[in-house]
Amino acid sequence: MTYLTTWAAEARPRLLEETTDLARIRAVLAEIAVRFERWPLA
């Protein structure tokens, strides 16, 4: 399972988003030029 949380970078951090949706995780990470891949276990 993959789980992504994003937080505001403030003096008092607040949760912006939490998701396990793979399409959303890819989209969020692509915004900061991170490629997300999941590989099957052998």
Side-chain angles (χ1 to χ4, degrees):
M1 173 190 267
T2 303
Y3 183 77
L4 177 73
T5 59
T6 55
W7 296 83
E10 301 169 347
R12 301 188 87 196
R14 62 185 166 84
L15 180 64
L16 297 175
E17 180 176 11
E18 55 186 327
T19 185
T20 58
D21 179 66
L22 296 179
R24 180 65 186 146
I25 292 171
R26 281 188 187 97
V28 169
L29 294 177
E31 292 173 7
I32 59 170
V34 173
R35 183 178 66 200
F36 173 76
E37 295 180 1
R38 288 189 60 181
W39 294 35
L41 296 175

